[in-house]
Amino acid sequence: MLTQLSFTHIVAIGALSLVGVLAYYVVQRTRHELRIRKIGGVRAPSLATNPLTATSWFFYAAKAQMRNQLLEHYNSFYEKATPECPNCIEIQILPRERYLLTRDPEHVKAVLTTQFSDFGKGPRFHELWRPFLGDSIFTTDGQLWHDSRGLIRPMFVKDRVSDLATFEKWVSVLLTKLPPSGQTADIMDLLYRMTLDVTTEFLLGASADSLNNPQSEFAKAFDDVQKIQMMLTTVGPFEPILSRRRYKEGIRTIERFMMPYIEQALALPQEELEKLSNSDKHFTFLHSIARYTRNRQVLRDQIIAVLLAGRDTTAATLSWAFYELSHYPDKFKRLRDEIVSSVGRTRTPTYEDLKNMTYLRHTLNETLRLYPAVPYNLRSALEDTTLPTTPGNPPISVVKGDIVIYSTLAMQRRRDLYPPTSEKFEDPAIFSPERWESWTPKPWQYVPFNGGPRICVGQNFAMTEMAYCMVRILQKYDGLEYRGDWHAQRHEAEIVGKPSQGVNVALYEERPKVVGNPEPLGL
């Protein structure tokens, strides 16, 4: 009797709990719906409205990422969109957990500039990314973000960026690591190692020496942490179930490498740091921010953030550029001809030389159009607000706490944002630096470095490093050949998008030209 009564009680309690949960869900959902109406807008076309249907979308997103098919998966969302709202959809998991996914330039413009104060990284993003990037420029809002940007900006003024000595040092090392003419090399691997060396020397005054040490523990840890961080972000509300063991180990490895340099900088008296600030040769990013703060955690956070931005974005863009150029010998030749006519085959280019090479600039712009360095990004609504829709239709209501995910990769590949194909304008899916000779993107349809108050402070540094590296390599080599199946390449979406299979190419050194026409030896 007691056993039966206990079982009956358990069932009753379970049933009441379920009813309570459902009632809470319905009440919260109703309140959220009323809030959407109060804001004065409408919902976006919906893919899911409850935890059961939403779970499958996040599962397939994680699966697509692991298969390097995230762009195709992301674009498939918009098959459920409507003519009134063709480039934005939503997924509602819980009554107060809603995701808006967009590839609309007007939405990117809204979250980055016209409604900047309404959107930010938000507390959830900050909490998720804090173990890796701490309270840095990429994870914070408000005063914390403003202070971080103020610490970083002084090291990216033109006078600092135009000093090309560090670029020359490490590009020269990279050239020694390339195999003999005509032999295969994964140039992406070398570019990632080179940009790691450039960036660590710029930040710390000492490089990771990755080009001379391919099995660098630090480089591997940095890659592993990024891969896991992207997966944690992709699975959204389900991130707590993922293991973080390798993630935490990787972060400890990164910190072990950096902390001795931080301690050295903090050991310097303020007068010595001020004296160093007048020396271009020995003054580093770490010295710059150590003048303003003695907080080890602040130094650590800002260095990791700039390392991520400075190393990966540059290496990935260069990798994509060589991948595309290897498929178009005529474009490679045109680029090399411009370089040789500007600086010859051996002269070290100056900052002004790089700025004056038009086809080189168009090549980098076209690469960033097809492969924006940060392909997916997000903002959290800090206030109740709206996003615009097509003319004549009500806006989309965005409730405080909603997450807006935008993809510059998907947006910049939308055919309807481009002029019709013609002799002067190739199909937008095709790599064509020539299109930039007679075409300028409309505002907010091309945002390789974000925009608005959060526009990348290091974009000039990145463009200069990429241009310098390409010039030095093409001065030496006049032929480029892809080794592998060019069409099998996939876009691997980590924090920064890179070629999934590396970039295996052969570079050919220019053969000395024979002067005159010597007679062949006869018998």
Side-chain angles (χ1 to χ4, degrees):
M1 180 70 180
L2 184 61
T3 304
Q4 187 177 2
L5 184 62
S6 299
F7 178 75
T8 302
H9 284 164
I10 290 169
V11 171
I13 291 168
L16 286 171
S17 299
L18 181 60
V19 169
V21 168
L22 289 173
Y24 176 80
Y25 182 91
V26 170
V27 169
Q28 292 298 322
R29 178 66 188 266
T30 303
R31 291 179 65 185
H32 193 268
E33 195 66 41
L34 291 172
R35 208 162 157 190
I36 285 174
R37 294 178 187 176
K38 185 179 178 182
I39 292 168
V42 296
R43 284 184 174 274
S46 182
L47 295 184
T49 58
N50 60 71
L52 294 178
T53 53
T55 299
S56 65
W57 287 104
F58 284 97
F59 170 77
Y60 286 117
K63 190 175 178 181
Q65 187 191 344
M66 289 188 289
R67 293 182 174 182
N68 300 318
Q69 296 174 341
L70 194 55
L71 175 61
E72 294 86 345
H73 183 68
Y74 190 89
N75 280 331
S76 73
F77 293 160
Y78 303 100
E79 295 170 6
K80 306 286 187 181
T82 62
E84 296 75 27
C85 185
N87 292 294
C88 182
I89 57 89
E90 68 172 71
I91 297 175
Q92 180 119 22
I93 301 173
L94 296 171
R96 290 188 289 180
E97 187 154 359
R98 178 176 174 233
Y99 294 80
L100 291 152
L101 292 85
T102 182
R103 56 181 184 181
D104 189 327
E106 290 302 312
H107 294 169
V108 175
K109 176 183 176 182
V111 301
L112 293 183
T113 182
T114 55
Q115 295 166 232
F116 178 76
S117 61
D118 292 344
F119 294 95
K121 293 297 185 175
R124 287 174 55 194
F125 181 90
H126 178 250
E127 199 60 34
L128 182 61
W129 285 67
R130 191 175 187 180
F132 180 31
L133 298 182
D135 294 331
S136 68
I137 192 171
F138 296 129
T139 61
T140 52
D141 299 307
Q143 193 61 44
L144 267 178
W145 166 77
H146 187 271
D147 292 345
S148 292
R149 196 170 176 89
L151 284 174
I152 289 171
R153 189 186 292 112
M155 282 303 285
F156 291 102
V157 296
K158 181 185 173 185
D159 289 346
R160 296 280 182 193
V161 173
S162 59
D163 181 2
L164 307 176
T166 303
F167 299 152
E168 173 62 22
K169 174 182 176 180
W170 291 107
V171 173
S172 297
V173 176
L174 179 145
L175 289 170
T176 69
K177 301 300 179 184
L178 288 166
S181 180
Q183 292 190 18
T184 304
D186 180 1
I187 198 166
M188 185 178 92
D189 174 61
L190 290 169
L191 290 167
Y192 265 80
R193 286 155 56 193
M194 181 204 76
T195 54
L196 180 62
D197 290 341
V198 168
T199 311
T200 47
E201 182 157 317
F202 173 76
L203 293 174
L204 306 172
S207 83
D209 201 24
S210 179
L211 278 168
N212 292 315
N213 179 19
Q215 304 304 317
S216 166
E217 182 186 36
F218 172 73
K220 183 180 184 307
F222 203 72
D223 290 338
D224 286 348
V225 169
Q226 286 187 69
K227 192 182 292 286
I228 298 167
Q229 186 74 70
M230 184 61 183
M231 181 58 75
L232 291 171
T233 307
T234 301
V235 298
F238 304 101
E239 51 85 12
I241 66 175
L242 297 183
S243 170
R244 283 170 165 76
R245 184 180 58 80
R246 278 178 55 231
Y247 178 70
K248 292 176 180 177
E249 287 174 357
I251 290 171
R252 285 194 292 269
T253 300
I254 293 167
E255 291 174 342
R256 274 199 307 273
F257 173 81
M258 288 171 37
M259 290 314 292
Y261 299 104
I262 291 174
E263 295 299 334
Q264 287 175 23
L266 290 176
L268 294 172
Q270 191 69 30
E271 310 82 65
E272 185 66 23
L273 287 170
E274 294 298 331
K275 194 183 298 182
L276 279 171
S277 70
N278 297 316
S279 165
D280 288 339
K281 189 174 182 182
H282 301 292
F283 191 63
T284 67
F285 178 87
L286 176 55
H287 291 140
S288 176
I289 56 177
R291 292 166 66 201
Y292 301 102
T293 178
R294 314 299 282 177
N295 186 312
R296 288 170 175 77
Q297 189 66 35
V298 171
L299 297 176
R300 174 258 185 223
D301 294 348
Q302 303 303 339
I303 288 169
I304 291 182
V306 177
L307 177 58
L308 170 64
R311 178 248 190 170
D312 291 73
T313 56
T314 305
T317 303
L318 283 168
S319 299
W320 285 118
F322 278 101
Y323 164 74
E324 288 288 356
L325 288 168
S326 70
H327 195 61
Y328 300 100
D330 57 326
K331 301 183 192 305
F332 179 86
K333 181 180 184 304
R334 182 175 173 184
L335 177 58
R336 186 171 192 268
D337 288 346
E338 178 184 73
I339 289 168
V340 172
S341 67
S342 299
V343 294
R345 291 169 172 78
T346 57
R347 179 167 74 79
T348 303
T350 65
Y351 182 77
E352 291 306 316
D353 288 330
L354 300 176
K355 290 292 179 186
N356 291 332
M357 293 186 205
T358 305
Y359 194 73
L360 173 60
R361 184 171 67 254
H362 291 169
T363 298
L364 293 174
N365 285 344
E366 180 69 353
T367 304
L368 287 164
R369 183 188 69 84
L370 282 172
Y371 308 101
V374 181
Y376 303 93
N377 214 324
L378 62 81
R379 292 291 185 270
S380 176
L382 305 178
E383 306 288 345
D384 288 352
T385 185
T386 62
L387 288 174
T389 52
T390 51
N393 288 297
I396 298 166
S397 290
V398 184
V399 177
K400 181 180 179 179
D402 286 351
I403 304 296
V404 178
I405 299 171
Y406 64 94
S407 171
T408 53
L409 178 65
M411 180 185 75
Q412 291 177 190
R413 291 181 176 223
R414 278 178 50 192
R415 290 177 181 272
D416 60 303
L417 297 179
Y418 293 94
T421 300
S422 65
E423 285 185 10
K424 290 188 176 181
F425 197 88
E426 283 266 26
D427 183 324
I430 292 173
F431 178 79
S432 176
E434 290 77 10
R435 80 175 77 247
W436 293 82
E437 294 166 8
S438 57
W439 169 78
T440 301
K442 292 180 180 178
W444 299 100
Q445 293 183 8
Y446 172 72
V447 282
F449 295 100
N450 258 337
R454 281 188 183 262
I455 193 168
C456 176
V457 295
Q459 62 176 302
N460 196 22
F461 180 92
M463 292 297 283
T464 303
E465 181 180 3
M466 290 188 289
Y468 193 92
C469 183
M470 293 205 77
V471 167
R472 294 306 264 164
I473 292 175
L474 268 68
Q475 280 180 300
K476 182 175 180 180
Y477 297 98
D478 71 347
L480 175 67
E481 179 183 283
Y482 194 76
R483 295 285 172 85
D485 183 352
W486 191 86
H487 296 284
Q489 188 67 265
R490 308 293 302 175
H491 184 277
E492 184 173 336
E494 295 180 358
I495 298 171
V496 172
K498 66 181 182 181
S500 64
Q501 299 183 0
V503 181
N504 291 306
V505 296
L507 287 157
Y508 293 88
E509 290 190 54
E510 184 176 28
R511 293 181 181 179
K513 292 182 179 178
V514 178
V515 178
N517 186 26
E519 292 293 325
L521 292 174
L523 294 174

